[in-house]
């Protein structure tokens, strides 16, 4: 799944109005941004367009916007932080209509190198619906060219991600991907389609159901597949083990058996926990002190719950990573939000940090874990998109990527 798409380097931006779909879906607490990773990730593309003399119009969603437009999900704090980062004023259009008269006037007044940020695209309501044609057209009316740099939203066929490209193209405009999109697709695409071997994939997280197609696809691509997290217990039960009160998806037992058979048939290693960290129940609150013990994976007592991989498993998994040349990791090994139950996730992160392999963290909880545990700078690439990177690892085409012009 190589990237033969026009990038921001391939478009002639000078003097043009360029609409850039960013991923500014940042966490906010009392109106303050608590993690600016996504803003920082967008800067190279924005800076490039400013330097090229474009009129740069930025748009993004923030939050889920369930109850209509509200100040708590406005992009105003993003405009403020962006202005600081770019060292120049970002003109924020606060209009809840997103593309209304205020936006049109702000864009009309732009000079080369100016930056305008539109309001939260989801305030329009039609952003996510199939009938977002009017919104797509209004966005396209504001610009001459379009750049998608929102990998975290690229798996959604939304108006500001995919719909707008048809209208821009119809009027002779170019549609490209930004530097962040390019980096994501190069890392994830090469890892899955053209990995330097041995290729080890590590999957964790709570549910097998969330990773059905990923497990299936990666088994065909990787040399070793490591399973951890809550989803491991469905595999262990499929092997006939007693798993006590551990998380299980009984409807997926046959699927797990199939995957274990598939691995054997393909000559791939499928590693499951050999021991587990158990407790009387799930911690409440999630980071509360908890008493744990370690048992072999086939010895979980009926009244106990597995909440992390055990120390022997951590060693086994770390060992499997040592000889790897490419590692993709998606999903924690246990309840990493709890200091006691983060041991398995920390062990895997340490093993990845110590290897000279290309290490790719597939967004979501694993990205949060690596950032929180202080290993971010030791990884080759940390994806900014949880759902998007998962769909990419499944082998799906992403609407935001497909929508860009081919070179």
């Amino acid at each position: 799944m190589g990237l033969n798409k026009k990038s921001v380097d391939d478009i002639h931006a000078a003097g043009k109005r360029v609409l850039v779909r960013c991923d500014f879906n940042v966490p906010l607490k009392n109106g303050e941004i608590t993690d600016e990773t996504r803003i920082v990730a967008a800067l190279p593309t924005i800076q490039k367009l400013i330097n090229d003399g474009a009129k740069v119009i930025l748009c993004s969603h923030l939050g889920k916007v369930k109850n209509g437009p509200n100040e708590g999900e406005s992009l105003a704090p993003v405009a403020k932080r962006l202005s600081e980062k770019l060292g120049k004023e970002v003109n924020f259009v606060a209009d809840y209509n997103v593309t209304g008269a205020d936006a049109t006037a702000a864009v009309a007044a732009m000079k080369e190198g100016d930056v305008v940020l539109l309001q939260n695209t989801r305030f329009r309501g039609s952003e996510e619906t199939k009938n977002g044609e009017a919104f797509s057209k209004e966005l396209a009316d504001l610009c001459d060219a379009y750049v998608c740099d929102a990998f975290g939203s690229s798996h959604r066929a939304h108006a500001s991600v995919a719909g707008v490209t048809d209208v821009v193209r119809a009027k002779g405009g170019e549609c490209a991907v930004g530097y962040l999109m390019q980096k994501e697709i190069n890392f994830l695409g090469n890892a899955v389609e053209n990995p330097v071997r041995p290729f080890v994939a590590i999957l964790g997280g709570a549910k097998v159901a969330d990773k059905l197609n990923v497990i299936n696809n990666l088994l065909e691509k990787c040399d070793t597949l490591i399973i951890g997290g809550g989803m491991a217990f469905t595999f262990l039960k499929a092997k006939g083990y007693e798993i006590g009160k551990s998380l299980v998806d009984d409807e997926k037992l046959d699927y797990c058996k199939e995957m274990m058979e598939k691995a054997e048939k393909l000559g791939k290693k499928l590693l499951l926990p050999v021991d587990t960290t158990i407790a009387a129940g799930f911690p409440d609150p999630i980071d509360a002190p908890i008493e744990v013990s370690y048992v072999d994976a086939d010895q979980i007592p009926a009244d106990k719950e597995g909440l992390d991989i055990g120390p022997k498993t951590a060693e086994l998994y770390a060992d499997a990573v040592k000889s790897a040349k490419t590692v993709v990791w998606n999903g924690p090994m246990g309840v990493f939000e709890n200091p006691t139950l983060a041991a398995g996730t920390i062990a895997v992160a340490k093993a990845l940090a110590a290897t000279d392999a290309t290490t790719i963290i597939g967004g979501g909880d694993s990205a949060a874990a690596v950032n929180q545990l202080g290993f971010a700078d030791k990884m080759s690439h940390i994806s900014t998109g949880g759902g998007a990177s998962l769909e990419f690892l499944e082998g799906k085409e992403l609407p935001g990527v497909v929508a860009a012009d081919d070179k």
Side-chain angles (χ1 to χ4, degrees), residues 260-289:
M260 290 188 280
E261 284 163 17
K262 180 173 179 168
E264 203 169 330
K265 202 180 291 177
L266 294 173
K268 306 293 175 82
K269 272 191 196 160
L270 176 62
L271 298 183
L272 295 169
V274 292
D275 66 340
T276 187
T277 302
I278 57 168
F282 202 84
D284 182 23
I286 201 162
D287 56 355

Side-chain angles (χ1 to χ4, degrees), residues 130-151:
K130 293 282 187 284
N131 57 359
E133 286 93 349
F135 188 32
S136 296
K137 185 180 181 309
E138 287 165 33
L139 286 166
D141 284 346
L142 293 174
C143 69
D144 307 303
Y146 171 81
V147 173
C148 185
D149 210 23
F151 183 73

Side-chain angles (χ1 to χ4, degrees), residues 85-113:
K85 294 277 179 197
L86 291 168
K88 66 182 297 161
E89 193 205 344
V90 171
N91 182 10
F92 178 57
V93 182
D95 179 10
Y96 284 0
N97 188 46
V98 187
T99 51
D102 290 357
T104 308
V107 170
M110 291 178 85
K111 295 182 177 64
E112 293 185 6

Side-chain angles (χ1 to χ4, degrees), residues 362-374:
D365 282 344
S366 13
V370 167
N371 281 320
Q372 278 174 31
L373 301 169

Side-chain angles (χ1 to χ4, degrees), residues 311-368:
K312 284 190 272 191
T313 306
E315 206 171 301
L316 173 75
Y317 290 2
D319 212 43
V321 166
K322 275 179 193 157
S323 58
K325 290 285 179 244
T326 306
V327 186
V328 172
W329 178 20
N330 187 290
M333 296 293 102
V335 186
F336 79 95
E337 299 91 342
N338 185 294
T340 308
L341 303 170
T345 303
I346 290 171
V348 168
K350 276 186 174 163
L352 265 65
T355 178
D356 58 0
T358 298
T359 48
I360 298 155
I361 312 302
D365 282 344
S366 13

Side-chain angles (χ1 to χ4, degrees), residues 146-402:
Y146 171 81
V147 173
C148 185
D149 210 23
F151 183 73
S153 300
S154 64
H155 59 314
R156 312 255 186 233
H158 290 171
S160 66
V161 175
V164 63
T165 61
D166 293 332
V167 196
V168 169
R169 210 176 278 114
K171 62 178 189 176
E174 296 176 286
C175 298
V177 296
Y179 290 136
L180 177 62
M181 283 279 281
Q182 200 173 20
K183 187 182 177 203
E184 292 274 12
I185 294 157
N186 286 348
F187 267 103
L188 286 163
N190 285 332
V192 177
E193 297 303 328
N194 193 23
V196 181
R197 298 188 181 278
F199 171 27
V200 175
I202 306 169
L203 293 178
K207 296 178 188 154
V208 175
D210 296 344
K211 306 253 164 75
L212 288 179
N213 298 329
V214 184
I215 296 167
N216 198 13
N217 191 41
L218 285 179
L219 259 185
E220 291 173 14
K221 315 276 187 190
C222 69
D223 301 296
T224 301
L225 180 61
I226 292 174
I227 304 278
M231 62 191 270
F233 297 105
T234 305
F235 277 90
L236 294 175
K237 187 171 179 180
K239 285 185 79 162
Y241 293 0
E242 165 65 60
I243 59 162
K245 298 192 298 180
S246 307
L247 191 69
V248 67
D249 187 344
D250 284 319
E251 287 178 15
K252 298 292 177 281
L253 290 169
D254 286 342
Y255 172 83
C256 291
K257 284 177 191 164
E258 266 174 54
M259 289 303 108
M260 290 188 280
E261 284 163 17
K262 180 173 179 168
E264 203 169 330
K265 202 180 291 177
L266 294 173
K268 306 293 175 82
K269 272 191 196 160
L270 176 62
L271 298 183
L272 295 169
V274 292
D275 66 340
T276 187
T277 302
I278 57 168
F282 202 84
D284 182 23
I286 201 162
D287 56 355
I290 188 167
E291 201 173 302
V292 300
S293 53
Y294 311 105
V295 295
D296 286 348
D298 58 352
Q299 300 293 318
I300 301 172
D303 62 343
K304 298 284 193 218
E305 183 174 358
L307 295 168
D308 189 17
I309 57 173
K312 284 190 272 191
T313 306
E315 206 171 301
L316 173 75
Y317 290 2
D319 212 43
V321 166
K322 275 179 193 157
S323 58
K325 290 285 179 244
T326 306
V327 186
V328 172
W329 178 20
N330 187 290
M333 296 293 102
V335 186
F336 79 95
E337 299 91 342
N338 185 294
T340 308
L341 303 170
T345 303
I346 290 171
V348 168
K350 276 186 174 163
L352 265 65
T355 178
D356 58 0
T358 298
T359 48
I360 298 155
I361 312 302
D365 282 344
S366 13
V370 167
N371 281 320
Q372 278 174 31
L373 301 169
F375 293 103
D377 60 335
K378 301 282 195 298
M379 305 301 159
S380 308
H381 179 63
I382 299 175
S383 179
T384 54
S389 60
L390 260 188
E391 291 199 13
F392 210 91
L393 295 174
E394 281 178 35
K396 282 187 183 173
E397 288 197 318
L398 307 183
V401 178
V402 174

Side-chain angles (χ1 to χ4, degrees), residues 4 43 46 60-61 68 102 129 218 221 232 244 324 374:
N4 191 33
L43 294 175
I46 299 168
S60 173
H61 79 282
D102 290 357
T129 57
L218 285 179
K221 315 276 187 190

